[in-house]
Amino acid sequence: MSNHALVTRLRERLGDAAVLTDTDVTDAYSRDMMPLADSGKPLAVVLPSDVEGVRAVVKACAEFEVPIVPRGAGSGLSGAANAIDGCVVLVLTKLDKIVEIDEGNRLAVVQPGVVNLDFRNAVEKHGLFYPPDPSSYDWCTIGGNLSTNAGGLCCVKYGVTTDSVLGLEVVLADGSVLKTGRRTVKGVAGYDLARLFVGSEGTLGVITQATVALKPLPQLPATLVAAFNSTEAAGEAVARVVREGLVPSLMEIMDATSIKAAETYLKTDLGTSSDCKALLLAQSDSGGEVARRELAALEQICVDCGADLAYATEDLEEGKMLLQARRVVLTALEMYGVWLTDDVCVPRTRIAELIAGCERISEEVGLRIAVVGHAGDGNMHPTIVYAPDSEEEFARARTAFDAILDVSLSLGGTVTGEHGIGRIKREWLAKEIGEVGIRVHRQIKQALDPGNLFNPGSMFSL
């Protein structure tokens, strides 16, 4: 059966407008935001508008033995949504309905094409809060968040995407629809299949709907900033926060390179001294006296650990201004070249060692490396800057990228905290989980997708 016949079948099922084959258009859907990951030329890009359309695509591709690469907005940083030659890219952005918001049970039912920020704004009108907040939350979609098990700045208190998932609707490789999970607070009937699909990067099925838990809308945040003249002192402050059982709603760290880039970009200083080596930013969303006590305890820990500056504020605009320094780091680094951001997670007691390791790697490869990250959970984002027109610098950036992963594993960490494995860390997944772990992954893949229909070659190869 020819590929032309498959395109004809898809157009019969979905309509001409939903099946794109012009290479000028399909190229725009062929890759995500990770420059290291290879991508291919898709046969077609399809945009179904409902679950029946998704089923039709899956059945047709299975019949013609053409692989499917599910995709959301393309904001990923692992190549997990990158096309392979001859595949069908299944774009889910038109499944964009918020099906239900149940205030009484604090849950919502949502389709994968809904933008994260739009969803957060919608539930906020009901006095509710959807915690997952990846940095691309203003344009990434819920489906992509689910497929990569995305995180964000709030993870220290609220967890990653899977911690908010109650149940899923998934189209399987034979076109059938699996409904798994629950709407109740508790439920242990059978295997936890919902968690199996969250973070599977589109390799096991296509998520077409999710039931997610919501939180009460938190209070407006109060903010703390603390400056340290050594990363070791900042690392000790983070460890003390963890040991003493404090759980801020946000706790971020910036190294000296990140601080300087943010200050230059914002044309301001953050009130730090010239020898500031690390900045901690923390927030409490508990409100009122509880928030004041939390920040006072955080401030005292920072002072005890040698902070040169420790300042807390309940002023919302001042807090936003302080946090802006953390949020603009990647944009600020573009002043020096293009960036390649890594994603590792280490035990919180070893953050300073990771930053030191990145400084050493920076000297070895001769490239700027800035480290920012979610200190509250140990998820760090070392970011390598290189000249966009230099293949030689790009090669050194790739060397640095892998070296950072190696340091992370040596510190008892993991090679990805929230971006996923995709097509750039397959060999690192094997190193981290071992031969038996890879064997079990393959067995699960083969059981649910025996024809290797979904996203072949992502995460691991069969």
Side-chain angles (χ1 to χ4, degrees):
M1 292 184 285
S2 70
N3 288 340
H4 176 74
L6 172 58
V7 172
T8 300
R9 175 78 62 82
L10 292 172
R11 286 178 170 152
E12 289 172 352
R13 296 287 192 272
L14 302 178
D16 290 348
V19 182
L20 312 176
T21 57
D22 186 327
T23 55
D24 289 340
V25 178
T26 59
D27 283 352
Y29 291 94
S30 66
R31 61 176 307 110
D32 66 12
M33 301 293 289
M34 169 47 71
L36 291 182
D38 293 333
S39 63
K41 298 285 186 181
L43 168 68
V45 172
V46 297
L47 295 95
S49 57
D50 56 27
V51 65
E52 289 307 315
V54 175
R55 295 183 68 201
V57 173
V58 170
K59 289 179 179 179
C61 288
E63 179 182 345
F64 283 78
E65 298 182 341
V66 170
I68 296 170
V69 176
R71 174 189 168 95
S75 64
L77 288 163
S78 70
N82 283 15
I84 58 175
D85 288 337
C87 76
V88 167
V89 175
L90 176 56
V91 182
L92 296 158
T93 51
K94 288 192 174 181
L95 277 77
D96 59 358
K97 295 181 179 62
I98 299 174
V99 178
E100 177 188 1
I101 298 174
D102 182 343
E103 298 177 45
N105 289 301
R106 294 213 302 257
L107 62 83
V109 180
V110 62
Q111 291 185 327
V114 174
V115 172
N116 183 292
L117 179 60
D118 292 343
F119 182 50
R120 288 164 66 94
N121 288 340
V123 300
E124 184 175 325
K125 294 175 182 177
H126 297 265
L128 297 169
F129 173 55
Y130 180 65
D133 68 333
S135 59
S136 57
Y137 72 103
D138 54 344
W139 66 288
C140 67
T141 57
I142 297 295
N145 297 170
L146 292 164
S147 292
T148 59
N149 199 10
L153 274 65
C154 293
C155 293
V156 57
K157 184 172 183 178
Y158 296 107
V160 294
T161 296
T162 191
D163 296 303
S164 293
V165 175
L166 296 173
L168 297 175
E169 175 185 273
V170 185
V171 175
L172 301 177
D174 62 359
S176 60
V177 178
L178 169 69
K179 295 185 178 181
T180 185
R182 63 194 194 279
R183 291 174 63 100
T184 53
V185 175
K186 294 174 66 177
V188 295
Y191 296 139
D192 192 347
L193 297 180
R195 285 181 178 261
L196 176 62
F197 284 96
V198 175
S200 65
E201 300 182 11
T203 61
L204 300 179
V206 182
I207 297 170
T208 52
Q209 190 166 276
T211 302
V212 297
L214 304 173
K215 302 285 187 183
L217 192 65
Q219 300 295 311
L220 296 176
T223 305
L224 168 78
V225 59
F228 298 84
N229 62 14
S230 75
T231 53
E232 291 78 11
E236 176 56 27
V238 172
R240 281 272 305 275
V241 170
V242 175
R243 284 199 301 269
E244 296 189 18
L246 297 173
V247 186
S249 57
L250 172 154
M251 187 162 63
E252 299 291 297
I253 191 168
M254 299 170 61
D255 74 347
T257 303
S258 303
I259 296 166
K260 291 174 183 175
E263 288 180 330
T264 301
Y265 178 79
L266 294 172
K267 296 182 173 62
T268 186
D269 67 70
L270 300 174
T272 62
S273 62
S274 60
D275 62 347
C276 178
K277 295 297 188 293
L279 200 68
L280 280 184
L281 290 158
Q283 287 188 329
S284 170
D285 62 4
S286 300
E289 184 58 34
V290 175
R292 284 188 284 273
R293 287 199 303 269
E294 287 180 349
L295 286 192
L298 289 168
E299 184 175 0
Q300 187 61 56
I301 287 173
C302 291
V303 170
D304 291 346
C305 290
D308 294 327
L309 163 76
Y311 172 71
T313 178
E314 294 181 59
D315 183 273
L316 185 61
E317 290 306 313
E318 192 175 18
K320 286 181 179 178
M321 181 186 69
L322 291 169
L323 197 59
Q324 185 186 20
R326 164 63 180 91
R327 293 191 182 278
V328 303
V329 168
L330 292 183
T331 303
L333 290 172
E334 291 174 358
M335 297 183 298
Y336 310 114
V338 295
W339 51 258
L340 172 62
T341 191
D342 217 324
D343 163 51
V344 296
C345 194
V346 297
R348 289 168 290 189
T349 54
R350 310 199 75 176
I351 290 173
E353 293 173 77
L354 176 69
I355 294 175
C358 291
E359 291 174 351
R360 174 181 53 78
I361 293 166
S362 175
E363 292 176 0
E364 290 173 354
V365 300
L367 295 174
R368 186 189 309 263
I369 299 179
V371 183
V372 296
H374 316 313
D377 54 30
N379 188 187
M380 298 290 105
H381 297 302
T383 301
I384 308 145
V385 184
Y386 60 97
D389 54 354
S390 171
E391 291 186 8
E392 190 270 337
E393 284 202 11
F394 179 75
R396 283 189 275 146
R398 177 69 213 231
T399 298
F401 187 89
D402 287 340
I404 291 166
L405 298 178
D406 194 43
V407 169
S408 174
L409 288 181
S410 74
L411 295 174
T414 175
V415 296
T416 177
E418 58 188 6
H419 293 169
I421 295 296
R423 299 184 183 279
I424 58 165
K425 296 183 179 178
R426 287 175 294 193
E427 69 273 22
W428 290 98
L429 175 66
K431 288 180 181 179
E432 180 171 331
I433 68 174
E435 182 180 338
V436 174
I438 286 292
R439 187 190 75 206
V440 172
H441 273 67
R442 287 175 175 151
Q443 289 172 334
I444 293 170
K445 170 74 168 172
Q446 289 167 341
L448 289 172
D449 183 17
N452 201 19
L453 178 69
F454 293 128
N455 214 1
S458 189
M459 295 182 74
F460 55 91
S461 61
L462 292 179

